[in-house]
Amino acid sequence: MTEFELIQRLIPNLPTNASVIAGAGHDCAIVDIGLADELLLLKTDAVVEGVHFTPETDARRVGHKALGRCLSDFAAMAGTPRHAMVTLGLPTGFDADWIDGLYAGMRHLAEQHGIAIVGGETTRNPERIFMSVNVTGVLPRNRVILRAGAKPGDAIFVTGELGGSILGKHLDFEPRLTEARWLAENFTIHSMMDLSDGIAGDLRHILQSSGVGAELLGRAIPISRAARQKARASLPGNGNLEIEVDTSSPALLAALTDGEDFELLFTVASADAVRLLDAWKQRFSTLKLSCVGKITANPGMRIQDKFGLRPLNVSGYTHFA
Amino acid sequence: MTEFELIQRLIPNLPTNASVIAGAGHDCAIVDIGLADELLLLKTDAVVEGVHFTPETDARRVGHKALGRCLSDFAAMAGTPRHAMVTLGLPTGFDADWIDGLYAGMRHLAEQHGIAIVGGETTRNPERIFMSVNVTGVLPRNRVILRAGAKPGDAIFVTGELGGSILGKHLDFEPRLTEARWLAENFTIHSMMDLSDGIAGDLRHILQSSGVGAELLGRAIPISRAARQKARASLPGNGNLEIEVDTSSPALLAALTDGEDFELLFTVASADAVRLLDAWKQRFSTLKLSCVGKITANPGMRIQDKFGLRPLNVSGYTHFA
């Protein structure tokens, strides 16, 4: 059984109540606890030694990643994180200096975004470091953006450049919190999520939630320098996607399928696309924004490349594969 | 380095902000996110296979315990839990039916208290199941109860009976949420916490936070049937306390030092003690409430037993011992 299958099996039976606006299956949970103008956002995520980092990884970067993954999910909802808690499972004889480094990495990122770390729990996990972070924060009531809002004709955008994050970005990425809030404040964002499993896999979640399809434009996909570098060296990606398209470019393949980009993927009405690109350049001159395709009424995912418009079939990232 | 030493080293450097009313070192964190009449409570806790349960433990009981531990911390603050998230680290080849049982146990307890489970995260932990639960909820603004409020002369109370929880209660305990809220609504509770490491160890946290001492009355300590049973069988406890008092009763020793009672420990002005005991009997006829001693201006912990009033020195429960 894969992670995806397990989650699909568990979700229908979870207890819920009237306060839940978005529960399991969203980037963050959204709940109404009675704030006048805001909703509460809840997120938990984990990093595990040997799975998300190696024993040799610099502790500060692990701390950055552990908190950053949650913040990227807050960005996916254009939310504002406020408070974090940390659960640490540690082997006996852990290195206290390494833990200091871990916290230094979290602290640096938390301070950048005004987040307080308000406690947590420490316990044993004999074989490896296991770290779970949960973050709470807020979202204006009138600005709920889900994966389910994509509409036929929407332009599909991604921030930054994709692929090859295993070469370093998966530890050093900047969660796109400021950018996401700016987008939500200035444009009608129909659907949004953060890229953790490669655009080819993640876009499928938007399509399925929204009941639509998409056409991607191969040459518009922003391929990162790391993806090209990795392709030249024939390094494996850090994604687990299997892609059934004969792409002649291993770098494009990496950009489509590598995991942990932690960029934003979103859709807006095509009528807003040009104004958005112009305004973005004014506001965020150093971060690329790319229109990579359009939403279609016809379901499924297709990619336009030099061979024509062809189906893009991927099987999702499975943590238990 | 013990868990306690690690936490003491980390806490002073945690990033904070003006919204934090109680951070690390409290049963729950208390933060102000702008609710008119309430504050937000945050808690995270973990259970790990081989540490908090064995591979043979019934999955439903593990689920009950995992969520129940957090709820017991909500009870310690007389708060109301509303939403939970679950992080699961699973070995490859996990048993999906066991996970169903785990969730059934959590669901049953969640539904009893009107809590929605709004998602979480699933990842790999190759050697054992690691489960972290976080819970958010609320507390009336005017009813913040901390460990730090004990005053000389206060009567010290505990709910239920203590010791021997390893024989079963550590998996089946009922978090004292209803009782705690009733206490907070009807009495001025000076200090409160939940008993997770034995009264002899936990009371020390109240004493240190409040800058006071205590005298316990040996014969007033409510010794559970399980503690007596365990004492007769000379079974080891599930606490890690070392107690420097020559108690002639192994059952009393178990009641003082065994972990995971998950009962309430609190103090009220002695003038309220009799009225409290009477009202409690009316309201909770099946759950014992015991006055076990008094707070003193003189620091340290003493116990009155048949040998007289003697110092009760314990070293705290250390998860990494």
Side-chain angles (χ1 to χ4, degrees):
Chain A
M1 179 173 287
T2 66
E3 176 191 14
F4 185 74
E5 288 161 350
L6 175 67
I7 292 169
Q8 291 311 305
R9 176 168 155 154
L10 293 172
I11 286 180
N13 294 316
L14 295 178
T16 187
N17 62 42
S19 71
V20 180
I21 292 165
H26 297 270
D27 292 288
C28 297
I30 309 179
V31 302
D32 187 348
I33 54 156
L35 282 162
D37 304 318
E38 290 170 316
L39 298 166
L40 195 68
L41 289 183
L42 309 171
K43 177 66 196 177
T44 184
D45 204 351
V47 295
V48 184
E49 184 180 334
V51 180
H52 302 91
F53 63 94
T54 69
E56 293 72 37
T57 312
D58 176 60
R60 289 178 65 104
R61 300 175 84 191
V62 176
H64 178 92
K65 178 172 184 169
L67 178 58
R69 283 168 63 105
C70 284
L71 301 194
S72 186
D73 283 299
F74 268 75
M77 295 212 152
T80 302
R82 296 255 196 249
H83 301 99
M85 297 193 109
V86 180
T87 300
L88 264 185
L90 295 175
T92 318
F94 64 88
D95 176 352
D97 290 335
W98 196 92
I99 306 294
D100 280 344
L102 186 78
Y103 270 81
M106 278 194 289
R107 187 165 61 240
H108 185 257
L109 182 59
E111 283 170 349
Q112 264 182 280
H113 296 284
I115 299 165
I117 300 181
V118 293
E121 173 70 9
T122 311
T123 188
R124 260 183 296 155
N125 192 48
E127 297 82 8
R128 57 186 70 232
I129 295 170
F130 189 108
M131 186 182 185
S132 171
V133 178
N134 71 77
V135 180
T136 43
V138 291
L139 177 76
R141 272 186 185 271
N142 58 356
R143 225 190 270 150
V144 173
I145 303 170
L146 302 175
R147 297 174 178 182
K151 294 180 177 57
D154 276 7
I156 305 169
F157 284 91
V158 292
T159 60
E161 297 178 331
L162 308 183
S165 83
I166 191 73
L167 297 189
K169 187 184 176 187
H170 77 107
L171 293 165
D172 302 323
F173 65 93
E174 290 301 329
R176 304 302 188 194
L177 287 161
T178 310
E179 293 82 356
R181 282 195 298 266
W182 177 87
L183 284 169
E185 282 158 14
N186 293 285
F187 292 88
T188 303
I189 308 299
H190 287 173
S191 65
M192 186 152 65
M193 65 183 297
D194 69 319
L195 286 174
S196 53
D197 296 339
I199 185 173
D202 285 332
L203 179 56
R204 205 177 48 158
H205 295 303
I206 287 185
L207 303 185
Q208 288 178 345
S209 306
S210 306
V212 294
E215 284 178 22
L216 292 176
L217 196 60
R219 65 185 155 70
I221 305 287
I223 302 172
S224 74
R225 194 190 179 89
R228 294 186 197 281
Q229 196 179 335
K230 211 182 59 129
R232 276 196 304 274
S234 300
L235 293 174
N238 59 336
N240 239 346
L241 288 175
E242 287 179 20
I243 194 162
E244 291 170 21
V245 62
D246 173 32
T247 136
S248 53
S249 158
L252 174 60
L253 184 67
L256 289 168
T257 63
D258 281 355
E260 305 200 315
D261 282 320
F262 299 113
E263 295 291 349
L264 295 173
L265 170 66
F266 61 94
T267 76
V268 298
S270 60
D272 286 345
V274 172
R275 185 173 64 93
L276 167 56
L277 280 165
D278 286 347
W280 180 277
K281 271 181 211 153
Q282 297 287 323
R283 179 65 183 81
F284 303 106
S285 57
T286 59
L287 182 66
K288 200 168 192 163
L289 179 68
S290 307
C291 179
V292 296
K294 65 177 179 194
I295 297 294
T296 61
N298 186 11
M301 223 185 316
R302 290 158 298 279
I303 187 163
Q304 176 82 48
D305 62 15
K306 59 184 173 184
F307 304 109
L309 185 67
R310 300 175 307 146
L312 181 63
N313 298 318
V314 293
S315 61
Y317 184 86
T318 52
H319 291 287
F320 299 121
Chain B
M1 180 174 288
T2 65
E3 177 190 13
F4 185 75
E5 289 161 350
L6 175 67
I7 292 169
Q8 291 311 306
R9 176 169 156 155
L10 292 172
I11 286 180
N13 293 317
L14 294 179
T16 188
N17 61 42
S19 71
V20 181
I21 291 164
H26 297 270
D27 291 289
C28 296
I30 309 178
V31 302
D32 187 348
I33 55 156
L35 283 162
D37 304 318
E38 291 171 313
L39 298 166
L40 195 68
L41 290 183
L42 308 171
K43 178 65 195 177
T44 185
D45 204 352
V47 296
V48 185
E49 183 180 335
V51 180
H52 302 92
F53 64 94
T54 70
E56 292 72 36
T57 313
D58 176 60
R60 288 178 65 105
R61 300 174 84 190
V62 176
H64 178 93
K65 177 171 185 169
L67 178 59
R69 285 168 61 104
C70 284
L71 301 193
S72 187
D73 283 300
F74 268 75
M77 294 211 153
T80 301
R82 296 255 198 248
H83 301 99
M85 296 192 111
V86 179
T87 300
L88 265 185
L90 296 175
T92 317
F94 62 90
D95 177 352
D97 290 336
W98 197 92
I99 306 294
D100 280 344
L102 185 78
Y103 270 80
M106 279 195 289
R107 187 166 59 240
H108 185 257
L109 183 59
E111 282 170 349
Q112 266 183 278
H113 296 283
I115 299 166
I117 300 182
V118 292
E121 173 71 9
T122 311
T123 188
R124 259 183 297 156
N125 192 48
E127 297 81 9
R128 56 185 72 234
I129 296 170
F130 189 108
M131 187 181 184
S132 171
V133 177
N134 71 77
V135 180
T136 44
V138 292
L139 177 76
R141 273 186 185 273
N142 58 356
R143 227 190 270 151
V144 173
I145 302 170
L146 302 176
R147 297 174 178 182
K151 294 179 177 59
D154 276 6
I156 306 170
F157 285 90
V158 290
T159 61
E161 297 178 330
L162 308 183
S165 82
I166 191 72
L167 297 189
K169 187 183 175 188
H170 77 108
L171 293 166
D172 302 321
F173 64 93
E174 290 302 329
R176 303 303 185 192
L177 286 161
T178 310
E179 294 83 357
R181 281 194 299 265
W182 177 87
L183 284 169
E185 282 158 15
N186 293 286
F187 292 87
T188 302
I189 308 300
H190 287 174
S191 65
M192 186 154 64
M193 66 183 296
D194 69 320
L195 286 175
S196 54
D197 297 338
I199 185 172
D202 284 332
L203 179 56
R204 203 177 51 157
H205 296 302
I206 287 185
L207 303 185
Q208 288 178 346
S209 306
S210 305
V212 294
E215 284 178 22
L216 293 176
L217 197 61
R219 64 184 157 73
I221 305 287
I223 302 172
S224 74
R225 192 186 180 90
R228 294 187 198 282
Q229 197 178 334
K230 211 182 56 127
R232 275 197 305 273
S234 299
L235 293 173
N238 59 338
N240 239 346
L241 287 175
E242 287 177 22
I243 195 160
E244 292 170 21
V245 63
D246 173 31
T247 136
S248 53
S249 158
L252 174 60
L253 185 66
L256 289 169
T257 63
D258 281 355
E260 305 201 314
D261 282 320
F262 299 112
E263 294 291 349
L264 294 173
L265 170 67
F266 61 94
T267 76
V268 298
S270 60
D272 287 344
V274 173
R275 186 172 64 93
L276 168 56
L277 280 166
D278 286 347
W280 180 276
K281 269 180 212 154
Q282 297 287 324
R283 178 67 183 80
F284 304 107
S285 57
T286 60
L287 182 67
K288 198 168 195 166
L289 179 69
S290 308
C291 179
V292 296
K294 64 176 180 192
I295 297 293
T296 61
N298 186 11
M301 225 185 317
R302 290 157 299 278
I303 187 164
Q304 177 82 48
D305 60 17
K306 60 185 176 187
F307 305 109
L309 185 68
R310 301 174 308 145
L312 180 63
N313 298 319
V314 293
S315 61
Y317 183 86
T318 51
H319 291 287
F320 299 121

